[in-house]
Amino acid sequence: MGNQSLSSAESYTWQIIQENYEHIPQLSISELAELAHVSISTVNRTVKKKGFSGYTEFKYSTEKKSLPQIKGFSTEVLAAISKNEEELLYTIHGISATSIESAVQMIDQSKEILLFARDLSANAAVEMMKKLQLFHKQVSLFTDSAEMRYYAQFTNPDSLVIVLSLSGETEELIEALKIAKKKNAWAIGLTVSANSRLTHLADVSLVGYKSPLEVHYFELDVHSRLPLYILVRVLFDAFSIYQKRK
């Protein structure tokens, strides 16, 4: 199974880029490098690993777009619609083709697959489980922390653990993944944080983009999982194509 990930410096650079997406169109590569306290070559390597030819192409892709022109909606609603468009486009632009290929090979070669997810991320995991079952893969989904820790103990080098976590820092998920890694299981992480414990532990990480704009009406975790759904969709479109070509 393959292993493709950003270096520590590149992961940090991508995290800084995500946190400053709205300013990218105004930043030169030297200014971004200074902001991230890294070299210009590190910035270039980072965006190239994310599928761009260089910083110029990446900067062009982040040009601020005007709000969508849809009749009947207030400016606030249009901004919310734009947020979803932003997450969709930036997630797709940021997907690493090499990481997708490695993840597809891991899924194909695994004897058993364990999905770990919590809260609303579990909904994206359910979709992933159903798609894996269509390919007759042996797959189980665990959302309870005790069950994740328990079943992680029985993984082995033929096992694949797929963790879906928006932050990449959910303690229960990280704890269970560490147990599985000690058993030499392989791991794929789906998250929006390029510099998280999940991306550091996973053999392959698929990293989406989370808009900084959020609407909070509840004292609960209701953050959008759209980036995770996009990553799941792209991953299984690629897996389906891979299976047909075998």
Side-chain angles (χ1 to χ4, degrees):
M1 296 182 180
N3 180 13
Q4 171 68 20
S5 62
L6 299 176
S7 68
S8 297
E10 291 160 356
S11 294
Y12 174 74
T13 301
W14 188 245
Q15 184 69 27
I16 294 297
I17 288 173
Q18 288 184 306
E19 293 172 357
N20 294 274
Y21 244 114
E22 67 273 19
H23 303 303
I24 296 298
Q26 289 78 45
L27 293 176
S28 67
I29 188 170
S30 58
E31 289 171 331
L32 177 58
E34 183 177 355
L35 178 65
H37 303 290
V38 298
S39 66
I40 290 175
S41 60
T42 298
V43 174
N44 257 325
R45 285 198 307 272
T46 301
V47 296
K48 284 181 178 179
K49 284 189 177 182
K50 288 297 181 178
F52 299 91
S53 61
Y55 183 72
T56 300
E57 181 188 352
F58 171 70
K59 182 178 177 180
Y60 177 78
S61 75
T62 64
E63 290 291 342
K64 190 67 177 178
K65 299 178 177 64
S66 59
L67 291 179
Q69 300 301 310
I70 306 175
K71 293 181 180 180
F73 288 107
S74 66
T75 301
E76 291 79 7
V77 173
L78 291 176
I81 294 172
S82 179
K83 164 189 172 292
N84 286 279
E85 179 187 35
E86 180 184 357
E87 291 187 344
L88 170 64
L89 294 177
Y90 289 167
T91 294
I92 290 174
H93 279 302
I95 292 174
S96 164
T98 305
S99 294
I100 288 290
E101 183 179 353
S102 297
V104 164
Q105 291 175 353
M106 285 186 177
I107 293 172
D108 182 62
Q109 296 172 21
S110 62
K111 302 299 182 183
E112 66 165 351
I113 299 174
L114 291 78
L115 299 177
F116 292 165
R118 297 277 291 170
D119 302 319
L120 292 181
S121 297
N123 294 328
V126 168
E127 179 175 334
M128 178 176 276
M129 178 181 67
K130 290 181 177 180
K131 289 185 175 181
L132 285 167
Q133 289 172 340
L134 289 174
F135 291 100
H136 306 288
K137 300 297 294 186
Q138 181 180 330
V139 55
S140 302
L141 168 61
F142 302 102
T143 60
D144 178 79
S145 56
E147 288 186 345
M148 285 188 280
R149 291 194 302 270
Y150 177 78
Y151 287 103
Q153 299 177 68
F154 301 101
T155 56
N156 57 63
D158 290 324
S159 306
L160 172 62
V161 175
I162 303 178
V163 180
L164 293 84
S165 172
L166 205 61
S167 68
E169 295 290 346
T170 305
E171 197 62 46
E172 299 93 332
L173 299 175
I174 298 301
E175 184 180 350
L177 180 55
K178 285 181 177 179
I179 294 172
K181 292 300 294 179
K182 287 182 180 178
K183 300 295 183 177
N184 296 316
W186 293 89
I188 297 173
L190 279 70
T191 182
V192 300
S193 179
N195 191 28
S196 63
R197 286 186 291 170
L198 174 56
T199 56
H200 292 157
L201 284 168
D203 298 286
V204 170
S205 297
L206 305 181
V207 182
Y209 171 77
K210 182 73 179 68
S211 171
L213 173 63
E214 270 295 346
V215 180
H216 300 282
Y217 293 118
F218 312 98
E219 295 180 0
L220 297 170
D221 175 15
V222 292
H223 294 285
S224 167
R225 264 56 176 192
L226 178 60
L228 296 183
Y229 281 105
I230 296 168
L231 293 174
V232 169
R233 176 63 180 272
V234 173
L235 175 59
F236 280 95
D237 281 351
F239 185 71
S240 178
I241 293 170
Y242 177 83
Q243 291 295 309
K244 289 178 180 178
R245 290 180 176 176
K246 285 180 66 177

